[in-house]
Amino acid sequence: MPKNTVLTLQQQKQAGDKICQVTAYDYTMACLVEEAGLEMILVGDSLGMVMMGYEDTLPVTMDDMVRYTRSVTRATNNTFVVADMPFMSYQASMNEAVTNAGRLLKEGRAQAVKLEGGATVVKQIRAMTEAGIPVQAHIGMTPQSVNAFGGFKVQGKNVDAAKQIVEDAIAVQEAGAFSIVLECVPALLAEYITEQVNAITIGIGAGAGCDGQVLVGQDLLGMTHGFKPKFVKRFGEVGNAIMDAYAAYSAEVKAGTFPASPEHTFKIDEEVMELVRRG
């Protein structure tokens, strides 16, 4: 399988070949994504909810992101890994933004970083790309701004809001972003933006007209319970399979049938045991 790079991903867009991105946060899951041949992994700050049990992404730290990103990149040779910039890792100052982005490449070994925001973060995007750090932008519904939005809501449904998202897409592209995540944006608007920009558009709740798609791995695998966003399709029911396996394991342990002998146990010579018993 060829190694995915910014250049090969751009060539896919030009060829009309859809790009597949999925979140992964650990070595084991990243190994499976790599073997499946998906082009991109996002080590999302969604790990705050999926892996750490927070109610939103806001508590995630730079150290968290570096640690989880390095776990993923140890598993990947060909998959292009993008690491999220967590809340307040790029908003305070330009120097801090570039330094933190650099950590995700230098310590986390990611190939690119992702940050939320449109026209408001063009200075950060420009500074990062000038420092040689590829950037994936993220506009529309941006989870780090959940408090400002008043919840997780579709964005760009009226004329002014839709025009703002278009302007944001153009602004982040002009600042140097090679890719743009469009989250919870009406499908026709996302398709229009995809036609207007050269950057790779990756949709999540933005219809099939984008250059590619991204979903949270645990969502598409059916490992999560409770609220399910409208844009999520469960491509498997891995969660049920895991629970069934745990239940079967528990039942056999309690029944004394696991571990089975000699299938799961190791032998020792009876003569040795006799000497052990004698003390």
Side-chain angles (χ1 to χ4, degrees):
M1 187 175 72
K3 185 175 182 63
N4 291 283
T5 66
V6 169
L7 178 59
T8 64
L9 294 168
Q10 289 171 334
Q11 289 171 341
Q12 276 191 251
K13 175 185 172 80
Q14 292 164 6
D17 183 11
K18 297 288 187 179
I19 296 166
C20 204
Q21 185 175 30
V22 67
T23 67
Y25 315 104
D26 62 71
Y27 178 84
T28 302
M29 295 295 282
C31 283
L32 296 174
V33 176
E34 172 104 346
E35 290 181 28
L38 279 65
E39 290 88 355
M40 301 175 75
I41 285 175
L42 170 63
V43 187
D45 60 359
S46 49
L47 66 85
M49 295 179 286
V50 176
M51 304 297 288
M52 303 175 78
Y54 296 132
E55 64 179 15
D56 53 41
T57 64
L58 302 185
V60 177
T61 68
M62 272 302 303
D63 287 342
D64 292 332
M65 290 307 309
V66 169
R67 187 178 305 111
Y68 281 94
T69 300
R70 191 68 186 103
S71 297
V72 167
T73 56
R74 288 190 187 101
T76 54
N77 293 309
N78 301 313
T79 314
F80 190 89
V81 178
V82 182
D84 248 335
M85 299 285 295
F87 182 59
M88 292 311 297
S89 67
Y90 55 94
Q91 291 95 334
S93 74
M94 217 59 58
N95 182 65
E96 188 175 326
V98 175
T99 298
N100 284 331
R103 285 191 65 193
L104 292 172
L105 270 65
K106 186 177 177 66
E107 300 175 46
R109 306 303 295 164
Q111 283 79 58
V113 301
K114 181 173 77 65
L115 68 160
E116 297 181 7
T120 58
V121 295
V122 295
K123 291 182 180 178
Q124 290 93 323
I125 293 173
R126 186 171 293 112
M128 291 174 191
T129 54
E130 288 176 354
I133 301 170
V135 175
Q136 182 175 62
H138 183 159
I139 62 177
M141 170 52 217
T142 48
Q144 291 176 12
S145 301
V146 62
N147 291 327
F149 288 145
F152 296 95
K153 299 178 180 179
V154 177
Q155 303 296 307
K157 295 187 73 172
N158 62 51
V159 173
D160 289 342
K163 286 183 177 180
Q164 183 60 59
I165 293 175
V166 174
E167 291 173 7
D168 283 340
I170 293 170
V172 296
Q173 174 183 261
E174 290 178 348
F178 80 95
S179 175
I180 307 168
V181 171
L182 301 171
E183 181 168 358
C184 290
V185 172
L188 288 177
L189 177 60
E191 184 175 359
Y192 174 76
I193 291 170
T194 300
E195 294 168 350
Q196 298 302 307
V197 298
N198 294 320
I200 299 158
T201 61
I202 302 292
I204 177 167
C210 297
D211 298 313
Q213 299 293 321
V214 63
L215 281 176
V216 171
Q218 280 79 351
D219 286 345
L220 75 88
L221 292 171
M223 295 175 68
T224 53
H225 299 280
F227 172 73
K228 181 177 79 69
K230 180 181 180 180
F231 55 77
V232 170
K233 178 178 178 178
R234 294 166 77 103
F235 288 84
E237 291 298 335
V238 176
N240 289 338
I242 291 172
M243 287 190 293
D244 289 345
Y246 282 148
Y249 164 63
S250 175
E252 290 197 18
V253 169
K254 295 179 187 303
T257 57
F258 176 81
S261 181
E263 185 180 0
H264 306 118
T265 57
F266 302 97
K267 293 181 178 180
I268 186 171
D269 290 339
E270 184 58 39
E271 293 83 356
V272 174
M273 278 307 302
E274 183 60 29
L275 293 172
V276 171
R277 294 186 186 103
R278 290 178 183 176

